[in-house]
Amino acid sequence: ALHLKENLVYLQHLKRLPNSFVAQVVSLQTENGFYYSYFSNLAAAESTGAGLREVIWDTRSEYPDTLNALRRFNIYQEVCLALLYRVLNNLGLA
């Protein structure tokens, strides 16, 4: 019952956020938000190469170690979708 109450309060809080995009991002919990962050960072990177470098030489996940997040967390689908988004965005279709 406590878990249900916590979820209801959380969802009510999301409805009060300033815009729907913020609410969508905040609603991603635990590993969903973790994986989304890789997609988001790669999609918003200055260049495709810079975004891929951040994924392959990841220092934020297990600081101070550097790891290959692509292999470690199996984020191939997030990387593929982010690259597809970048291509479609450059063509003016996204």
Side-chain angles (χ1 to χ4, degrees):
L2 184 60
H3 181 68
L4 180 60
K5 174 68 175 167
E6 181 181 336
N7 283 340
L8 289 174
V9 170
Y10 182 71
L11 291 173
Q12 288 173 351
H13 175 70
L14 289 179
K15 290 179 184 177
R16 287 183 255 145
L17 290 173
N19 65 44
S20 62
F21 178 73
V22 171
Q24 288 172 351
V25 172
V26 171
S27 69
L28 297 173
Q29 297 178 11
T30 63
E31 70 268 1
N32 293 332
F34 179 73
Y35 289 114
Y36 177 77
S37 71
Y38 283 105
F39 165 81
S40 173
N41 289 346
L42 183 53
E46 186 176 308
S47 69
T48 303
L52 287 173
R53 276 190 296 279
E54 287 180 23
V55 168
I56 294 172
W57 292 285
D58 181 20
T59 57
R60 69 184 181 143
S61 300
E62 295 183 6
Y63 184 83
D65 297 331
T66 301
L67 57 97
N68 183 341
L70 191 61
R71 288 188 186 157
R72 171 96 162 119
F73 302 118
N74 193 22
I75 56 170
Y76 293 99
Q77 63 270 13
E78 285 81 3
V79 169
C80 289
L81 288 174
L83 294 175
L84 178 62
Y85 173 81
R86 290 181 70 88
V87 167
L88 293 174
N89 194 38
N90 286 336
L91 295 173
L93 301 173

